Amino acid sequence: MSEKRPLRYGMFGAMMRSIPLFGRDPLVAADQVTDRALVAVIAILTFLAALTASAAQLTAATAMRWQVMMASEVTVQLKPQAGRSIDADIVRASDILRGTGGITSVKVLSREESAKLLEPWLGSASSIESLPIPRLITVQIDTRQPPDLTSVGKMLSDAVPGASLDDHRTWTKRLGHLSDLFLTASFGALLLVVMTTGLTIVFATRGAMAGNREIIEVLHFIGADDRYIAGQFQSHFAVLGVRGGLLGGGAALLLALTLKFSMMFPDGLPFSGISEMPILDWQTVFVTFGVIMLVGIVAGLASRITVYRTIGMLA
Amino acid sequence: MANQLSCCNGIEISFDPHHALTTLKKVEGSLQAFPYRSVGELVRFENVGLRYGVGAETLTDVSFSIEPQSFQFLTGASGTGKTTLLRLIMQALKPTRGTVVLFGQDTSLLEKDGLTALRRRMGIVFQDFRLLDHLTTYENVALPLKVQGRDEVTYRAEVTELLNWVGLGELIHAKPPILSGGEKQRASIARALVAQPELLLADEPTGNVDPSLARRLLRLFVEMNRSGTAILIATHDLGLMDQIDGARRLVLADRRLYVEASDV
């Protein structure tokens, strides 16, 4: 007799059914064509959203790293002064810096090193030797106990004419501003993608409700309330949202992985600088899964709200 | 008519009030509706009129009541408003005028939640079955219990037994598109009965089946009535009505409802 057979599924089936993505008992009739198209649209949107979010996270992390690096180092510049020995001034400035608390190291750049920095503008001609090239001292700062850079700068300029201290503040501010701008733009793009996903789900839900009008009527007559019916639609579209999200998010992670390896080993050697960027670290994965969850939640909520707004008209 | 049916084995259905588990036993006997006991009306219509748009009223001054555990037929020629009257009872339509009271509640004052609660006390057999094609027979029949939030473990045996009772035990995994008209009708009846409603509304429940199956289906309704459910069957089949002793007849004609007295 049929009743001796398991009514539904075996133990494995029951276990899978407990996972929303794999085992549902849908009252909303699945429309294979529409559902697949919807999953594809959500996957593409999630892919774009995940890339945007990852790029924003990458930019923020890199900018932060650069800012920290710049904040931990200052540069002292000594301009050659008529009638003064620049080498003696360098020794004097170095002594002052080494005697100041909160400074961990002082490195004097040689004349050749300073000239090399100017090569992009002045070229490498031998005539550069005759030019009065400023000399540089790079100073590492203990970021936990930084010195008062204003008073250090004043002390240097008083003791050594032509000496100036550059704490990179201008660059740090510009970098921070640029990073904030990019983050804001990325957030806006992400918001637009999420809104598009929501609107797509709204239209899909309306279509599904029109297609399932008779089912909704029957459900009402057998005692289902609006909350139950809305829950069915919400579950249906949230699952489609998460499915699309997983596909799109997975593709974004795959792309990031490909990018990471292609940048690390373009010709067997890592790119300097770029390869140090935190592409596909745990934060990227976290952000991508965040986007997938967000898409699922937006899909479910958009569907639920649409059902509540539409069900009265159908009834 | 009683003789005709008494030659067949009747089926008696009883319900365990605690477990709501359907148990069956076969008994000899004729079909007779449960005698009326006026405990409080399940349905009361007072001067109800219904008009679609601006035309003449489809139903005029309809007044009647349905008592608990009663058995009645709603009859009349095609197009006289039998389905419309049932739709008024199941609150798919609102009357243009008059009062509809269901289970003691004036439906004009009902909120949506209250309407859901009332519908859970009714079972409905639709003329066109209204089974959900993407669900199995089992899932269709279990639906009223599922939407009430009951766990499947609590009703699986109950639904399976009911399906066996209506002769669909072998088809619990089948989906409606592959069922015959009679099988769909039985599945539809099982769905209406599974939550043990106080009132069962059936719209032409034997309209799509042969006379033999029609008698068998009618027997299901009688047994349900014996177990305490009030039955209202809309039909234009006079032969079907003659098979039940003691059933009241509500006759629709000229947009009005005429109530024939019960034999009991």
Side-chain angles (χ1 to χ4, degrees):
Chain A
M1 286 291 288
S2 53
E3 66 269 23
K4 288 181 182 171
R5 287 191 285 149
L7 266 178
R8 314 292 293 244
Y9 309 90
M11 186 183 289
F12 180 73
M15 191 175 70
M16 294 302 282
R17 275 165 51 74
S18 67
I19 305 170
L21 286 180
F22 297 101
R24 295 182 303 126
D25 198 6
L27 291 186
V28 179
D31 182 331
Q32 295 293 333
V33 178
T34 311
D35 285 358
R36 279 181 194 167
L38 189 61
V39 167
V41 169
I42 293 172
I44 292 166
L45 290 171
T46 311
F47 177 74
L48 296 174
L51 282 189
T52 308
S54 297
Q57 181 265 328
L58 184 65
T59 307
T62 307
M64 179 64 76
R65 204 155 56 95
W66 286 349
Q67 279 178 314
V68 168
M69 280 168 62
M70 288 167 79
S72 65
E73 188 181 276
V74 296
T75 307
V76 175
Q77 181 178 261
L78 286 90
K79 290 177 186 165
Q81 301 288 311
R84 290 184 67 90
S85 163
I86 194 159
D87 290 327
D89 284 348
I90 285 173
V91 172
R92 192 163 188 187
S94 300
D95 289 343
I96 292 170
L97 291 167
R98 287 195 181 99
T100 307
I103 289 176
T104 54
S105 81
V106 175
K107 185 190 172 196
V108 178
L109 266 66
S110 65
R111 183 177 168 78
E112 289 72 29
E113 285 173 318
S114 297
K116 204 172 176 58
L117 290 173
L118 292 170
E119 263 186 19
W121 292 272
L122 302 178
S124 58
S126 56
S127 59
I128 199 169
E129 299 289 328
S130 59
L131 293 173
I133 297 169
R135 299 290 298 276
L136 301 173
I137 303 171
T138 59
V139 180
Q140 294 295 321
I141 288 170
D142 182 354
T143 50
R144 289 167 298 181
Q145 290 176 318
D148 179 358
L149 291 175
T150 310
S151 62
V152 172
K154 189 171 186 315
M155 200 162 41
L156 278 171
S157 58
D158 288 348
V160 182
S164 62
L165 187 142
D166 181 4
D167 61 1
H168 309 152
R169 198 172 294 169
T170 308
W171 291 106
T172 310
K173 272 186 184 171
R174 284 185 182 178
L175 189 64
H177 181 66
L178 196 67
S179 165
D180 289 346
L181 206 64
F182 188 78
L183 276 177
T184 308
S186 301
F187 184 74
L190 188 65
L191 200 66
L192 282 176
V193 169
V194 169
M195 279 169 64
T196 309
T197 307
L199 285 174
T200 307
I201 295 292
V202 167
F203 288 122
T205 305
R206 283 185 183 165
M209 287 187 75
N212 287 283
R213 187 184 185 127
E214 195 173 331
I215 292 176
I216 293 170
E217 196 180 34
V218 170
L219 288 174
H220 270 139
F221 285 137
I222 63 172
D225 54 17
D226 289 352
R227 193 181 309 159
Y228 181 87
I229 294 168
Q232 294 297 315
F233 278 90
Q234 181 182 9
S235 145
H236 179 78
F237 285 104
V239 168
L240 291 185
V242 172
R243 276 183 187 164
L246 282 174
L247 280 174
L253 285 177
L254 203 64
L255 181 70
L257 191 72
T258 311
L259 203 64
K260 187 181 180 80
F261 279 103
S262 65
M263 284 204 307
M264 279 182 76
F265 308 107
D267 51 5
L269 295 169
F271 261 128
S272 65
I274 299 176
S275 63
E276 292 160 11
M277 291 169 86
I279 298 173
L280 200 66
D281 60 356
W282 67 269
Q283 281 178 321
T284 313
V285 176
F286 181 77
V287 165
T288 305
F289 275 97
V291 170
I292 293 168
M293 292 305 295
L294 183 65
V295 166
I297 291 168
V298 166
L301 282 180
S303 176
R304 189 176 187 88
I305 292 166
T306 308
V307 170
Y308 270 120
R309 287 192 173 174
T310 317
I311 208 162
M313 288 186 274
L314 284 179
Chain B
M1 230 13 74
N3 288 336
Q4 182 191 349
L5 287 171
S6 62
C7 67
C8 311
N9 284 337
I11 300 173
E12 186 169 282
I13 182 170
S14 61
F15 286 87
D16 180 334
H18 299 294
H19 300 95
L21 188 66
T22 310
T23 56
L24 313 168
K25 64 176 181 179
K26 289 189 172 182
V27 295
E28 296 290 331
S30 63
L31 294 176
Q32 188 168 28
F34 200 92
Y36 293 163
R37 282 188 298 172
S38 186
V39 183
E41 296 153 335
L42 302 182
V43 177
R44 183 158 54 85
F45 275 46
E46 291 175 4
N47 300 313
V48 169
L50 179 75
R51 172 186 286 118
Y52 292 113
V54 292
E57 280 190 330
T58 307
L59 294 173
T60 299
D61 289 330
V62 173
S63 297
F64 74 101
S65 63
I66 295 177
E67 301 288 329
Q69 301 173 342
S70 60
F71 197 118
Q72 43 265 302
F73 287 104
L74 174 63
T75 189
S78 294
T80 49
K82 297 189 291 295
T83 301
T84 301
L85 186 56
L86 289 184
R87 288 177 69 80
L88 279 168
I89 298 174
M90 66 179 84
Q91 290 295 291
L93 292 173
K94 297 280 181 195
T96 315
R97 62 184 176 87
T99 306
V100 175
V101 179
L102 292 177
F103 303 100
Q105 293 185 54
D106 186 340
T107 55
S108 65
L109 306 174
L110 272 181
E111 296 291 328
K112 211 156 191 182
D113 286 346
L115 181 60
T116 300
L118 290 191
R119 281 177 171 157
R120 287 182 180 181
R121 298 170 73 176
M122 290 187 230
I124 302 168
V125 180
F126 297 98
Q127 190 173 9
D128 53 354
F129 319 124
R130 300 269 189 114
L131 298 172
L132 307 193
D133 283 348
H134 65 292
L135 301 184
T136 64
T137 308
Y138 169 87
E139 288 165 340
N140 265 293
V141 171
L143 210 48
L145 303 176
K146 185 182 172 71
V147 302
Q148 287 177 24
R150 279 181 58 180
D151 191 350
E152 189 188 351
V153 176
T154 65
Y155 60 71
R156 186 182 296 175
E158 189 180 335
V159 173
T160 309
E161 193 155 7
L162 183 57
L163 280 164
N164 284 329
W165 183 52
V166 297
L168 296 175
E170 300 289 337
L171 295 167
I172 58 176
H173 297 289
K175 292 187 174 175
I178 65 160
L179 299 180
S180 69
E183 287 164 345
K184 285 181 189 172
Q185 190 66 283
R186 280 181 277 159
S188 173
I189 292 170
R191 184 180 64 186
L193 297 181
V194 72
Q196 299 176 34
E198 292 168 60
L199 173 63
L200 184 84
L201 308 174
D203 192 2
E204 300 284 3
T206 58
N208 298 292
V209 297
D210 58 60
S212 164
L213 184 57
R215 280 198 299 276
R216 197 170 160 204
L217 293 177
L218 193 58
R219 214 153 50 219
L220 294 181
F221 291 123
V222 169
E223 299 307 331
M224 277 307 297
N225 176 239
R226 284 183 179 167
S227 70
T229 300
I231 311 281
L232 175 60
I233 298 175
T235 181
H236 59 266
D237 184 350
L238 292 173
L240 187 78
M241 290 185 280
D242 288 341
Q243 292 178 34
I244 304 292
D245 298 333
R248 191 168 61 138
R249 295 184 187 186
L250 311 174
V251 184
L252 275 167
D254 302 328
R255 307 196 304 271
R256 293 176 184 278
L257 184 77
Y258 303 93
V259 181
E260 289 184 3
S262 163
D263 297 339
V264 180

